[in-house]
Amino acid sequence: MAEHQEGASSEGKPAAAMYPRKILEYMEGFLISKTVFSSCELGVFDVLLASERPLSAEEISQAIGASLDGTERLLAACAGLQLLNTHPDNGQVCYSNTEQASVYLTRSSPVSLYQSIQYSSRTIYLCWHYLTDAVREGKNQYEKAFGVSSNDLFQALYRSDEEMVKFMQLMNSIWNICGKDVVTAFDLSPFKIICDLGGCSGALAKQCTSAYPECTVTIFDLPKVVCTSREHFVTEANQRITFHEGDFFKDPLPEADLYILARILHDWTDERCIALLTRVYNECKPGGAVLLVEALLHEDGSGPVTVQLYSLNMLVQTEGRERTAAQYAALLTAAGFIGTQHRLTGKIYDAVLGHKET
């Protein structure tokens, strides 16, 4: 059998004669993102959830305070993306939410992605405008995107109280969806005293106390993050969750049986990761452990594509990168931890567990 000529498809057609469907989809992918972002920002899905019946484009446009023409186009696109259902009614089309839109795109849902979408739209999307520069320069692009120095990563991330709350809401929405899976990937019940380093909004701490009724969790984070978390996210009813203010690179860490670092190490270089893990190792009780929660690359770096894209996002926004399970194991070993294991959850984030000798 004759081999395919270079530049020919599997059907034998020259590459130039093929329709570049996949490339066109990639080129226009940002149109989909912005359609979802704008629909959430305008409150389209909230209006439809509250109505409890299909609404016309005119009714929706009035409810969201937008032009009828623009609303009709936006609704048609959302229907095409299978985010809205259509209902023909006396010559006009009415719309209702799909089940996923009601669950994940409305503000009132307990597992809403609304805040995550807003952060993607108003922060990440703007940073990605400078992806080309980030690749050329090998550093994050906060200074160009927002006019703030990127020398101190968290000064840039938390450049205003509003931006800090947005970031914390992002973390809250992520752990409401993925948190249970990562804290139950391993049996953590032997660890009664847990410290969540960079615990932010406390959403993962809540997942821990729910899954393990005998544990207590201390959230260790910067003073202004702790203050905001107490004000907006963790109530006095969460009696098994406490706070400790500090910088985990500089200040003493609370002693614990288990330390959780969730979406922390991917922000930093290998050198800074090892420095932080060494500090954790020194404070960890004998027989204790550290749980890393990260999006894991395949060992050959070939995927998943979502994690490959996240690694580009780390370039645009941070000092770090996404890594393989073996690379995280090497960081843990360098800090003194042993017996490293990892578990895939089937969702965005996975779990890596390292132990301290008894």
Side-chain angles (χ1 to χ4, degrees):
M1 181 180 294
E3 294 182 356
H4 292 298
Q5 297 296 312
E6 184 176 352
S9 72
S10 58
E11 290 80 20
K13 294 180 181 179
M18 296 167 58
Y19 183 69
R21 187 180 308 278
K22 185 64 68 177
I23 291 175
L24 290 172
E25 288 177 1
Y26 293 161
M27 286 170 56
E28 297 171 354
F30 76 96
L31 302 179
I32 296 174
S33 297
K34 285 302 288 183
T35 297
V36 177
F37 296 166
S38 295
S39 299
C40 285
E41 186 173 345
L42 288 166
V44 169
F45 307 108
D46 298 307
V47 166
L48 287 170
L49 180 69
S51 74
E52 298 183 346
R53 65 174 177 84
L55 297 179
S56 68
E58 184 174 3
E59 290 173 307
I60 296 169
S61 71
Q62 291 173 354
I64 65 175
S67 70
L68 177 58
D69 179 40
T71 302
E72 287 176 335
R73 299 186 199 204
L74 185 64
L75 296 174
C78 286
L81 293 172
Q82 300 181 347
L83 299 174
L84 296 179
N85 300 312
T86 57
H87 307 269
D89 183 21
N90 294 324
Q92 70 173 354
V93 178
C94 291
Y95 297 89
S96 65
N97 287 338
T98 61
E99 182 179 4
Q100 288 222 341
S102 288
V103 171
Y104 295 112
L105 300 180
T106 57
R107 303 180 204 205
S108 59
S109 170
V111 291
S112 173
L113 287 171
Y114 175 85
Q115 298 298 343
S116 180
I117 287 167
Q118 291 302 292
Y119 190 81
S120 294
S121 177
R122 297 176 183 178
T123 300
I124 297 175
Y125 192 84
L126 296 180
C127 286
W128 273 66
H129 181 73
Y130 299 97
L131 176 60
T132 304
D133 292 336
V135 172
R136 285 187 179 133
E137 299 167 10
K139 66 179 185 180
N140 74 59
Q141 297 297 304
Y142 272 102
E143 192 160 351
K144 289 177 184 171
F146 303 109
V148 296
S149 171
S150 58
N151 291 333
D152 185 327
L153 174 60
F154 279 89
Q155 282 295 107
L157 278 173
Y158 300 152
R159 58 193 175 275
S160 69
D161 289 345
E162 179 187 5
E163 192 66 21
M164 181 173 62
V165 171
K166 280 164 52 180
F167 180 79
M168 294 174 75
Q169 289 170 330
L170 161 72
M171 300 306 301
N172 218 49
S173 66
I174 288 172
W175 299 134
N176 284 341
I177 291 174
C178 302
K180 180 180 179 181
D181 297 89
V182 295
V183 301
T184 59
F186 295 95
D187 178 12
L188 304 180
S189 60
F191 307 111
K192 308 304 182 189
I193 303 174
I194 299 173
C195 180
D196 186 3
L197 293 180
C200 201
S201 69
L204 199 60
K206 292 176 186 176
Q207 294 288 350
C208 284
T209 56
S210 176
Y212 304 105
E214 296 182 4
C215 80
T216 60
V217 183
T218 298
I219 297 171
F220 185 97
D221 217 316
L222 297 170
K224 61 183 179 180
V225 176
V226 168
C227 180
T228 303
S229 187
R230 281 176 166 151
E231 183 177 351
H232 294 284
F233 298 100
V234 179
T235 67
E236 292 182 0
N238 303 114
Q239 296 181 358
R240 289 188 291 126
I241 298 175
T242 58
F243 292 91
H244 191 114
E245 297 179 0
D247 180 331
F248 50 51
F249 282 115
K250 301 175 183 177
D251 298 318
L253 305 179
E255 191 178 63
D257 302 318
L258 175 73
Y259 292 87
I260 297 176
L261 286 79
R263 282 176 43 110
I264 300 295
L265 295 188
H266 74 168
D267 288 337
W268 306 102
T269 63
D270 287 356
E271 293 75 17
R272 299 206 74 184
C273 288
I274 292 170
L276 176 56
L277 289 171
T278 300
R279 301 192 81 229
V280 171
Y281 180 86
N282 291 337
E283 294 298 330
C284 187
K285 294 180 179 180
V290 60
L291 179 73
L292 309 182
V293 179
E294 298 285 359
L296 296 179
L297 287 164
H298 298 329
E299 290 304 325
D300 63 358
S302 63
V305 66
T306 298
V307 187
Q308 292 168 327
L309 294 173
Y310 283 0
S311 202
L312 276 177
N313 190 51
M314 292 300 98
L315 174 64
V316 171
Q317 284 201 281
T318 74
E319 298 176 13
R321 63 187 305 121
E322 305 298 352
R323 298 176 174 91
T324 67
Q327 288 171 330
Y328 281 116
L331 296 177
L332 288 166
T333 299
F337 290 98
I338 61 172
T340 300
Q341 303 169 275
H342 74 277
R343 298 272 171 83
L344 304 179
T345 67
K347 294 187 179 179
I348 300 173
Y349 294 102
D350 304 308
V352 181
L353 188 69
H355 297 269
K356 183 173 180 177
E357 288 182 303
T358 55

